[in-house]
């Protein structure tokens, strides 16, 4: 401020007023004699008004780099990727525990063959198959009650037996296989008595073979008998079937 006031005073004063001290404006200025007699210095004026604001300064230099900010929010889940390539086959595992025993199969039925029949009428005619018409068992129908013959449907070893009640006459019976007598039984009847005759045999049969009982001989040997308290029976069944 003092400097500004000094500059203004300097501009106002005439050019000859040189060598005026400016160190202290509050002190009366002593002018040289003979230049302006009787002039007296006035009092200093009031300070001027503030000037208009200056122009904006230039941009400053960039500041120092700030600290690293916090991590952002987690983004949405991406789409499922494609299926990968199938891996190599693993090593062979240990043997498992043995399974439970299975149920019997139905196929065993084809290897069943059995019959058991009885006499219902007295035999009157010799040299023909005896017809046993009282059926105890004939589920496979391999025995034919109309002819008295057993028909082999399964090749294998068969067991046959017969138990004959003998009454009033002697009995001569044979077990036939395809028109050939295989087994003979002869029982002589004793008066006022009831006798029994029996026989059994194992025979190997092929499919188509036939087995039956028949009275043999030319005489009157057909004393086979049956009633409510006496049976005469004929039985046969497959013991072993051929596996080959
Ligand atoms: Ca006897």
């Amino acid at each position: 401020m003092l400097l500004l006031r000094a500059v203004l005073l300097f501009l106002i004063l005439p050019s000859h007023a040189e060598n005026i001290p400016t160190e202290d404006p509050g002190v009366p200025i002593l002018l040289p004699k003979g230049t302006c007699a009787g002039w007296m210095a006035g009092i200093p004026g009031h300070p001027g008004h503030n000037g208009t604001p200056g122009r904006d300064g230039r941009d400053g230099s960039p500041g120092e780099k700030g600290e690293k900010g916090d991590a952002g929010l987690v983004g949405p889940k991406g789409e499922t990727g494609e299926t990968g390539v199938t891996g190599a086959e693993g090593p062979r595992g240990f043997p498992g525990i043995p399974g439970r025993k299975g149920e019997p199969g139905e196929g065993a039925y084809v290897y069943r063959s059995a019959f058991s029949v009885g006499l219902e009428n007295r035999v009157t005619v010799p040299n023909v198959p005896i017809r046993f018409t009282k059926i105890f068992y004939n589920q496979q129908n391999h025995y034919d009650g109309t002819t008295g013959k057993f028909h082999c449907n399964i090749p294998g070893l068969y067991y046959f037996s017969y138990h004959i009640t003998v009454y009033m006459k002697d009995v001569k019976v044979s077990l036939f296989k395809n028109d050939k007598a295989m087994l003979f039984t002869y029982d002589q009847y004793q008066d006022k008595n009831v006798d029994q005759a029996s026989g059994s045999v194992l025979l190997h049969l092929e499919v188509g073979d036939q087995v039956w009982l028949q009275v043999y001989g030319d005489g009157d040997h057909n004393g086979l008998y049956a009633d409510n308290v006496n049976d005469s029976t004929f039985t046969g069944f497959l013991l072993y079937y051929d596996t080959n």
Side-chain angles (χ1 to χ4, degrees), residues 166 170 186-190 193-197:
V166 180
D170 293 351
Y186 177 30
D187 182 79
Q188 292 180 308
Y189 174 71
Q190 295 181 347
N193 204 341
V194 175
D195 288 357
Q196 281 81 32

Side-chain angles (χ1 to χ4, degrees), residues 193-227:
N193 204 341
V194 175
D195 288 357
Q196 281 81 32
S198 64
S200 63
V201 67
L202 288 173
L203 293 176
H204 182 269
L205 303 180
E206 300 291 344
V207 174
D209 286 344
Q210 298 177 350
V211 176
W212 68 89
L213 283 179
Q214 182 173 309
V215 174
Y216 71 90
D218 295 332
D220 189 13
H221 297 140
N222 55 350
L224 287 81
Y225 180 80
D227 61 18

Side-chain angles (χ1 to χ4, degrees), residues 8-215:
L8 292 174
L9 182 62
F10 178 74
L11 292 176
I12 295 172
L13 290 176
S15 62
H16 57 270
E18 296 176 358
N19 299 325
I20 299 173
T22 60
E23 288 80 3
D24 186 356
V27 177
I29 300 172
L30 297 179
L31 298 175
K33 290 181 180 177
T35 57
C36 189
W39 180 86
M40 292 181 65
I43 58 177
H46 298 288
H49 300 289
N50 293 334
T52 59
R55 292 178 299 178
D56 294 338
R58 290 178 296 181
D59 294 338
S61 59
E64 296 180 357
K65 184 176 182 180
E67 295 180 356
K68 186 174 183 179
D70 297 332
L73 299 175
V74 178
K77 185 177 181 180
E79 295 180 357
T80 303
E82 296 179 357
T83 303
V85 180
T86 303
E89 183 177 354
R92 185 182 181 88
F94 294 105
I97 301 173
R100 294 181 297 176
K101 185 177 181 180
E103 299 293 333
E106 296 180 354
Y109 178 79
V110 299
Y111 300 116
R112 292 179 180 177
S113 182
F115 72 95
S116 184
V117 293
L119 195 65
E120 289 185 304
N121 300 306
R122 295 187 63 177
V123 176
T124 57
V125 181
N127 300 316
V128 294
I130 300 171
R131 292 177 59 244
F132 295 85
T133 56
K134 184 177 182 179
I135 307 300
F136 296 106
Y137 180 89
N138 190 28
Q139 185 170 337
Q140 296 83 38
N141 285 316
H142 293 170
Y143 170 80
D144 185 355
T146 61
T147 62
K149 293 181 178 180
F150 169 77
H151 297 261
C152 175
N153 288 262
I154 303 169
L157 184 65
Y158 285 80
Y159 176 81
F160 294 97
S161 68
Y162 51 88
H163 298 276
I164 304 299
T165 297
V166 180
Y167 183 59
M168 296 297 289
K169 296 180 181 179
D170 293 351
V171 166
K172 287 184 178 179
V173 294
S174 286
L175 186 142
F176 278 71
K177 172 187 173 184
N178 299 335
D179 296 329
K180 181 180 180 181
M182 306 294 292
L183 191 64
F184 298 89
T185 298
Y186 177 30
D187 182 79
Q188 292 180 308
Y189 174 71
Q190 295 181 347
D191 191 16
K192 298 180 181 178
N193 204 341
V194 175
D195 288 357
Q196 281 81 32
S198 64
S200 63
V201 67
L202 288 173
L203 293 176
H204 182 269
L205 303 180
E206 300 291 344
V207 174
D209 286 344
Q210 298 177 350
V211 176
W212 68 89
L213 283 179
Q214 182 173 309
V215 174

